C-alpha cells in the first residue's frame, strides 16, 4: 500500500517523497489512518520501526486546517504536545516534525533542559502549533507562564516506558491536568509493563492498540557476536577490532560516564578520533559530538545508555558493547541503533567472564543464543567451573547456524594469524553463577514459526480486547520472540 492511500495531503506526501520513502512501514500503515480519524492509539513499537513518522504524519494531517502564515502569536497556539524522555529524542522527533511539515505553514519548536531557557521563551512567545518537550523543562516553562496548553488537541507520549523508568510519572500527571479534557491521545512504548497499562488507562480513551514487530525482524538484519575477553584487555581488543576491520563509524557503549570518558581518552591516545556522549556532557557538547559522528569526522562515539536514547544515525553498521548492560532490555535499545530502516548491522559485545550472567539474561530475553567467537590473540585463561564439579559438561548438540543472523561475511575477521576460534562457548557460558540457573525458557531458543506482522486491536487496556484486524503470515524462519509482537490482552 503506497503512502497515497493513507489519507495524507499532497504537501505531506511531497515531504515524504523528498525523504525517499516509497512505502509506509507496518506501524505507519496501521497507525496513520486511525490517527487521522481522531482515535486514541496505544502503540507497541520500538525505535527503528518508523514510529516517529507513524505519529507525526497523521498529526500534521489533523493540524493542517490550522496552518496559517499570520505573524500574530495568537494565531499560533500550541495544538500538539509531544512528550519525550530525553533531550536527544526530543531533538530527533523535532527534526522529523520539521522535515515532514516543511511544506506546511505550521510552526514547531523543541524544549529540553540543560540549555539556556531564554531562547526557548522567545520562540514560545512567538507562537508554535507543535511543541516537542521533555517533561521537566516543560514544567519550568509552565511555572514561568511562558506558554499555555489550553488549546492542545493532540497529546503524544513517546517512549512512555522510558519516561516512567526515568521517574517522570508525577510530571506527566501534572502536565495532563493542564490540558483540555477533549483531546486525542497517542502513547508509544516498547514494553507493556503494569505501570504502562495503568498510565494508558488514565490517559487514553478507548484506544486502538497497534503492535508491530520490529521492521525486517532483527534476526535477518543484525548479526550478534560475543567476543570473550578479560576485562583488562577490552580496550586492546576494541582497538584491534576497529583497526583490523577498518571500521569507519562505530557506536560504543559503556556502563558508566566515567568509563565512557576513560575509554574516549584511551582511544584518542591511539589516534582514533573519538567523542563521548553522556549525562555529564552539556547539551552543546552532546550535539556537537553527535553531529561530528554523523558527518564522519569522528570515527568512534562512546555513549552511555540514557544519552544514546533516540539517536538515529543513518547507515550505522556497528554497535559495540564495551560492557554489557545490567538490564537486558537495554541491550535491545543499544543494538537498535544499527540495522535501522532495512540496513544491515553488527552488534558486537566484548564480554568478560564476570559478565557471563548478563549474557545469559540477554539471551533469555532474546530467546536465542548469541554466537561466541573467541579471538585467539585475546584468548582468556579459562577459570570456568563446570556446572557440576565432578561431571564433564555434557556436550550440547551443535545448533543449526544457518540462519541469516549467524552468517558472517567472508571478511569479518581478517586472517592474519589471529583467526577467531570457536566452540569455547559452552565453557564460557557454564561459568558457575547464581543467575544462570536452568530455565525452561532458555532451552527454547525460538518462538513458534508463525510470524505475526501486526496485530491491531480495539481495546480497553484493562483487558477487554476485541480484534479488529490481526494479520498473521506464516514464515518458515524462526523469529526471536522479542521481535514478534507481544499480545497485550487475551482476546475474549
Ligand atoms: P523511527 O523508528 O521513527 O526512529 O525511524 C527509524 C528510521 O526509519 C528513521 O531513520 C526514519 O527516517 C526511517 N523511516 C521512517 N519511515 C520510513 C519509511 N516509510 N521508509 C523508509 N524509511 C523510513
Amino acid at each position: 500500500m503506497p503512502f497515497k492511500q493513507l489519507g495524507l495531503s499532497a504537501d505531506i506526501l511531497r515531504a515524504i517523497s523528498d525523504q525517499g520513502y516509497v512505502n509506509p512501514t507496518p506501524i505507519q500503515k496501521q497507525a496513520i489512518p486511525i490517527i487521522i480519524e481522531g482515535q486514541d492509539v496505544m502503540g507497541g513499537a520500538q525505535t527503528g520501526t518508523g514510529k516517529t513518522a507513524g505519529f507525526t504524519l497523521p498529526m500534521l494531517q489533523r493540524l493542517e486546517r490550522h496552518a496559517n502564515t499570520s505573524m500574530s502569536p495568537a494565531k499560533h497556539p500550541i495544538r500538539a504536545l509531544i512528550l519525550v524522555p530525553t533531550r536527544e529524542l526530543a531533538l530527533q522527533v523535532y527534526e522529523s516534525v520539521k522535515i515532514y511539515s516543511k511544506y506546511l505553514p505550521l510552526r514547531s519548536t523543541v524544549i529540553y533542559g540543560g540549555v539556556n531557557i531564554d531562547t526557548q521563551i522567545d520562540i514560545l512567545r512567538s507562537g508554535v502549533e507543535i511543541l516537542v518537550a521533555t517533561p521537566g523543562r516543560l514544567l519550568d516553562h509552565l511555572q514561568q507562564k511562558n506558554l499555555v496548553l489550553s488549546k492542545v488537541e493532540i497529546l503524544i507520549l513517546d517512549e512512555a516506558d522510558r519516561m516512567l523508568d526515568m521517574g517522570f510519572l508525577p510530571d506527566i500527571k501534572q502536565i495532563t491536568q493542564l490540558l483540555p479534557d477533549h483531546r486525542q491521545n497517542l502513547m508509544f512504548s516498547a514494553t507493556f509493563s503494569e505501570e504502562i497499562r495503568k498510565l494508558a488507562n488514565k490517559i487514553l480513551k478507548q484506544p486502538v492498540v497497534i503492535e508491530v514487530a520490529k521492521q525486517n525482524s532483527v534476526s535477518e538484519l543484525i548479526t550478534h557476536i560475543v567476543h570473550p575477553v578479560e576485562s583488562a584487555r577490552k580496550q586492546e581488543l576494541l582497538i584491534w577490532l576497529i583497526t583490523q576491520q577498518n571500521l569507519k563509524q562505530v557506536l560504543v557503549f559503556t556502563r558508566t560516564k566515567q568509563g565512557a570518558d576513560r575509554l574516549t581518552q584511551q582511544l584518542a591516545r591511539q589516534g582514533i578520533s573519538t567523542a563521548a556522549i553522556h549525562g555529564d556532557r552539556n547539551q552543546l557538547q552532546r550535539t556537537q559530538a553527535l553531529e561530528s559522528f554523523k558527518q564522519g569526522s569522528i570515527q568512534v562515539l562512546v555513549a552511555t545508555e540514557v544519552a544514546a536514547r533516540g539517536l538515529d544515525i543513518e547507515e550505522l553498521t556497528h554497535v559495540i558493547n564495551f560492557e554489557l548492560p545490567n538490564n537486558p532490555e537495554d541491550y535491545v535499545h543499544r543494538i537498535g541503533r544499527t540495522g535501522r530502516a532495512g540496513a544491515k548491522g553488527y552488534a558486537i559485545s566484548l564480554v568478560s567472564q564476570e559478565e557471563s550472567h548478563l549474557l545469559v539474561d540477554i539471551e533469555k530475553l532474546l530467546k536465542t543464543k548469541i554466537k561466541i567467537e573467541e579471538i585467539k590473540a585475546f584468548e582468556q585463561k579459562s577459570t570456568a567451573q563446570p556446572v557440576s564439579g565432578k561431571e564433564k559438561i555434557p556436550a550440547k548438540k551443535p545448533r543449526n547456524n544457518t540462519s541469516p543472523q549467524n552468517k558472517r561475511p567472508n571478511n569479518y575477521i581478517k586472517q592474519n594469524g589471529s583467526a577467531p576460534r570457536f566452540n569455547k562457548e559452552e565453557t564460557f557460558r557454564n561459568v558457575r553463577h547464581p543467575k544462570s540457573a536452568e530455565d525452561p525458557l532458555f532451552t527454547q531458543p525460538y518462538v513458534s514459526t508463525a510470524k505475526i506482522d501486526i496485530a491491531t486491536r480495539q481495546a480497553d487496556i484493562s483487558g477487554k480486547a476485541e480484534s479488529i484486524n490481526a494479520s498473521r503470515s506464516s514464515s518458515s524462519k524462526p523469529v526471536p520472540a522479542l521481535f514478534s509482537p507481544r499480545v497485550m490482552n487475551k482476546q475474549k
Side-chain angles (χ1 to χ4, degrees):
M1 181 199 278
F3 275 106
K4 253 192 249 160
Q5 291 172 16
L6 296 178
L8 297 165
S9 72
D11 285 336
I12 299 175
L13 288 173
R14 193 145 62 102
I16 295 171
S17 159
D18 287 357
Q19 282 306 103
Y21 301 168
V22 181
N23 290 308
T25 65
I27 193 159
Q28 291 164 3
K29 248 185 258 172
Q30 293 295 311
I32 291 173
I34 289 167
I35 298 172
I36 291 177
E37 272 175 26
Q39 299 201 59
D40 280 12
V41 163
M42 172 76 229
Q46 298 168 346
T47 52
T49 54
K51 73 175 158 69
T52 316
F55 63 73
T56 306
L57 297 172
M59 171 197 76
L60 293 173
Q61 182 62 45
R62 285 185 64 76
L63 297 184
E64 207 181 31
R65 67 186 195 284
H66 298 301
N68 73 88
T69 51
S70 166
M71 294 304 285
S72 161
K75 295 278 182 201
H76 300 280
I78 298 168
R79 308 272 186 189
L81 173 63
I82 306 174
L83 290 180
V84 297
T86 64
R87 313 169 211 187
E88 278 73 23
L89 186 60
L91 278 168
Q92 194 70 56
V93 170
Y94 174 55
E95 276 307 308
S96 297
V97 171
K98 274 199 303 187
I99 286 170
Y100 304 133
S101 66
K102 67 180 177 183
Y103 297 117
L104 295 171
L106 285 168
R107 298 179 181 179
S108 56
T109 195
V110 59
I111 55 173
Y112 46 80
V115 291
N116 189 311
I117 200 163
D118 295 336
T119 14
Q120 296 178 350
I121 295 174
D122 292 344
I123 299 171
L124 288 170
R125 294 218 169 125
S126 65
V128 293
E129 276 86 11
I130 302 154
L131 179 62
V132 184
T134 52
R137 181 50 67 95
L138 177 61
L139 282 175
D140 291 344
H141 281 289
L142 284 165
Q143 271 149 19
Q144 292 184 21
K145 301 199 183 342
N146 299 331
L147 55 91
V148 284
L149 298 175
S150 59
K151 293 274 169 57
V152 169
E153 297 173 13
I154 307 174
L155 169 69
I156 300 169
L157 302 182
D158 193 16
E159 301 204 353
D161 49 347
R162 198 65 172 186
M163 282 203 267
L164 295 191
D165 285 352
M166 291 172 72
F168 283 134
L169 185 61
D171 292 0
I172 293 171
K173 280 185 181 156
Q174 225 178 315
I175 292 163
T176 49
Q177 277 161 12
L178 300 168
L179 300 174
D181 285 343
H182 183 71
R183 59 171 200 265
Q184 183 178 22
N185 303 287
L186 314 174
M187 188 163 140
F188 291 84
S189 176
T191 54
F192 286 121
S193 64
E194 197 45 43
E195 287 70 35
I196 285 290
R197 282 163 209 253
K198 275 189 203 152
L199 183 66
N201 266 332
K202 282 217 172 70
I203 292 182
L204 306 176
K205 294 187 188 107
Q206 297 183 315
V208 176
V209 178
I210 300 171
E211 293 175 83
V212 295
K214 197 170 164 69
Q215 193 187 7
N216 295 327
S217 155
V218 158
S219 62
E220 286 164 28
L221 287 174
I222 298 183
T223 305
H224 304 252
I225 302 158
V226 161
H227 293 310
V229 59
E230 282 166 31
S231 294
R233 299 196 67 197
K234 281 190 176 185
Q235 178 215 329
E236 210 185 318
L237 174 56
L238 177 65
I239 293 166
W240 188 87
L241 287 168
I242 292 169
T243 45
Q244 270 304 112
Q245 296 177 50
N246 195 17
L247 302 181
K248 297 273 184 282
Q249 217 187 17
V250 193
L251 179 60
V252 177
F253 281 98
T254 59
R255 261 202 299 260
T256 64
K257 300 171 205 170
Q258 295 82 352
D261 281 338
R262 218 171 21 244
L263 186 60
T264 308
Q265 287 158 10
Q266 288 162 341
L267 292 176
R269 274 201 290 272
Q270 298 297 320
I272 296 173
S273 54
T274 315
I277 181 164
H278 58 65
D280 281 354
R281 297 261 146 163
N282 66 39
Q283 192 52 41
L284 185 66
Q285 290 170 320
R286 285 156 78 161
T287 312
Q288 276 173 351
L290 185 58
E291 270 316 300
S292 313
F293 187 60
K294 282 184 176 179
Q295 283 162 14
S297 51
I298 281 176
Q299 195 178 354
V300 178
L301 186 65
V302 183
T304 55
E305 226 77 63
V306 168
R309 196 79 183 180
L311 295 185
D312 184 15
I313 302 146
E314 261 175 48
E315 293 174 23
L316 177 63
T317 53
H318 287 76
V319 169
I320 299 185
N321 293 306
F322 188 76
E323 288 147 337
L324 287 181
N326 287 326
N327 176 1
E329 276 164 9
D330 285 337
Y331 177 86
V332 179
H333 292 304
R334 286 179 177 189
I335 64 151
R337 310 293 129 202
T338 182
R340 311 195 87 188
K344 281 196 173 169
Y346 293 91
I348 298 171
S349 301
L350 313 188
V351 184
S352 67
Q353 256 172 18
E354 302 81 66
E355 292 173 295
S356 62
H357 66 288
L358 299 174
L359 176 63
V360 171
D361 289 346
I362 290 164
E363 290 179 325
K364 260 194 229 174
L365 183 70
L366 297 176
K367 294 192 171 56
T368 188
K369 284 192 178 185
I370 299 175
K371 180 76 186 169
I372 292 181
E373 266 185 21
E374 191 156 13
I375 296 171
K376 199 173 180 188
F378 294 89
E379 247 177 19
Q380 294 191 99
K381 289 175 208 85
S382 178
T383 54
Q385 301 289 316
V387 175
S388 158
K390 285 180 189 163
E391 289 165 30
K392 274 169 78 182
I393 301 162
K396 284 194 184 169
K397 276 190 195 163
R399 277 184 297 126
N400 175 4
N401 280 335
T402 54
S403 69
Q405 91 201 58
N406 286 321
K407 279 189 190 154
R408 219 162 305 294
N410 294 335
N411 63 349
Y412 174 59
I413 289 181
K414 287 176 193 146
Q415 309 282 314
N416 69 341
S418 306
R421 281 213 341 210
F422 303 158
N423 297 332
K424 283 216 172 175
E425 49 200 274
E426 298 313 330
T427 320
F428 184 67
R429 279 203 187 81
N430 277 317
V431 174
R432 198 192 276 282
H433 194 284
K435 286 189 99 181
S436 60
E438 284 146 49
D439 184 316
L441 267 183
F442 194 43
T443 56
Q444 289 179 338
Y446 295 110
V447 292
S448 122
T449 52
K451 181 175 171 185
I452 308 163
D453 290 318
I454 286 185
T456 307
R457 256 164 271 118
Q458 178 85 48
D460 167 346
I461 299 289
S462 61
K464 287 166 246 145
E466 196 187 319
S467 174
I468 60 165
N469 176 14
S471 72
R472 286 161 184 265
S473 63
S474 62
S475 156
S476 54
K477 284 186 199 126
V479 183
L482 183 70
F483 302 109
S484 65
R486 289 162 295 274
V487 176
M488 230 177 117
N489 297 309
K490 288 226 163 72
Q491 292 177 23
K492 295 210 161 175

